[in-house]
Amino acid sequence: MLQPQCSKSLSTCLFRIILRRQSLLQQLRAKSSRRYNPQDDDDDGDKVRKKHENQEGYIHFYKSMGQHILTNPRVLHSIVQKSDVRPTDTVLEIGPGTGNLTLKLLEKAEKVIAVEIDKRMVDVLHQRAAEQGLADKLTVISKDALKTEFPQFDLVVANIPYGISSPLVAKLVFGVNPFRSATLLLQKEFAKRLLANPGDSEFNRLAVNVKLVAEVEFVMNVSKRDFLPCPRVYSSVVKIRPKAEIPHVDLDEWWAFTRTCFRKKNKTLGATFKQKKNLYELLKLSRLTGSDEQNAVTPSGSESELNLFRDKMIAILKSSGFGDKRPSKLSNEELLHLLSLFNQAGIIFHVRSKPRNTGDDEAFASSCSSL
């Protein structure tokens, strides 16, 4: 049996352990509940750099720049394998970071063009390629991927910064450079939107526009623990293959049409095209001539004129059976058919005052950023 003094000492120790545990739990809760602030990257970076400033090869990764480096060798190997890189291929890699994926691509391809905006990463890329004797196969473009014109390439293989996923995918699939496929590591939620089909809850304008010109295939999921630093989201790899034949449609007209339809993707088309805002916009556009916009007559906006235009649109929707249908459940073929019916009736969704310069990649990516 414990003596009173020993019992008291044991109780004190247990009490201290409990207090210590409660203190640690409170610290963990406070840390996990603190909201992320991009400025923290810089603050934490300063502290870490001061701590490790004498360590050779140390690099601080900025989460605010989307710098999450894929480190799992098995995942890297799988991505390269699924990309079907040929010995004669020129591979475009966007956001290579420190070159983990780049080195594996250099081993398989004839040439790798890496687009990296961070000068620190550029230095690391050159150094690592030289150490492996692969420097002559690597070309680095130190520019913003959305603001530079890509040279010719056969494949795209990349762990792209998630913040530019939409405009970058649009720039690739609607750009002037033909390519065989693009194997991309994306945020999982974005990948699900890209893969969605009519009727899926994730089906959206992005999927509609991309699938007009390309096929999208799911490859695999990637855990957030496979990155450094660890992101807050899970990731997926998808493979995009441009279609050999695409529908004959004016892309600007198509984008404007899908923008109108998918503003409220679950609303019926009849309800969408009865809205006064949409009617006014389309009435004005339908009175314009694409070749002479300055001399075009703008609508007076009278109620009677608007009603006539609305009746015209509703008649087209009813006669074609689209009045009660919802964009979220329509295939591209159905949407293309409806657009052609509108155009044949003189209803247009976009007026181009001058031909789009497809070589102007910066402006092009910007115009596609809301896909």
Side-chain angles (χ1 to χ4, degrees), residues 32 62 92 121 131 168 181 191 201 206 276 310 333 354:
S32 62
Y62 293 94
L92 176 68
M121 304 298 177
E131 289 173 353
L168 188 55
S181 68
S201 60
L206 172 74
K276 280 193 173 183
R310 181 196 60 199
E333 290 74 19
K354 60 180 180 179

Side-chain angles (χ1 to χ4, degrees), residues 280-295:
Y280 274 121
E281 289 177 357
L282 295 175
L283 177 57
K284 180 179 179 179
L285 287 171
S286 296
R287 297 284 295 276
L288 299 175
T289 61
S291 60
D292 191 11
E293 185 173 352
Q294 290 183 346
N295 297 327

